[in-house]
Amino acid sequence: MTAYANLSGDSGVQAYRIGARQIAVRFAGGAVYVYTHASAGLEHVEHMKLLAQAGRGLATYISQHAHDAYARKEP
């Protein structure tokens, strides 16, 4: 996984992994949530990829637009 830059300094996101049709996001508690085109929608997943690479706004975006739309949770 790639470390999340956390430019705001207060994000719950620690790291992410980008795939062709998905993004996996590891939060501070250690759980990894996988959001896919099928579960969260193409537009949301692609926007999350951009935010992850930018290092700002990912946790807020997830909580507002894709919170429960994950395909699976990995412990």
Side-chain angles (χ1 to χ4, degrees), residues 27-45:
F27 288 91
V32 176
Y33 291 82
V34 180
Y35 299 88
T36 67
H37 286 179
S39 70
L42 181 140
E43 289 182 29
H44 288 306
V45 170

Side-chain angles (χ1 to χ4, degrees), residues 4-68:
Y4 183 63
N6 189 14
L7 297 176
S8 68
D10 61 357
S11 179
V13 173
Q14 290 184 331
Y16 64 93
R17 180 178 59 245
I18 292 176
R21 300 174 57 87
Q22 68 181 28
I23 184 170
V25 181
R26 185 175 69 222
F27 288 91
V32 176
Y33 291 82
V34 180
Y35 299 88
T36 67
H37 286 179
S39 70
L42 181 140
E43 289 182 29
H44 288 306
V45 170
E46 295 305 312
H47 193 73
M48 287 191 284
K49 289 178 184 181
L50 294 174
L51 293 171
Q53 292 171 324
R56 182 183 292 266
L58 182 58
T60 299
Y61 187 86
I62 290 172
S63 71
Q64 292 177 351
H65 301 284
H67 185 262
D68 294 327

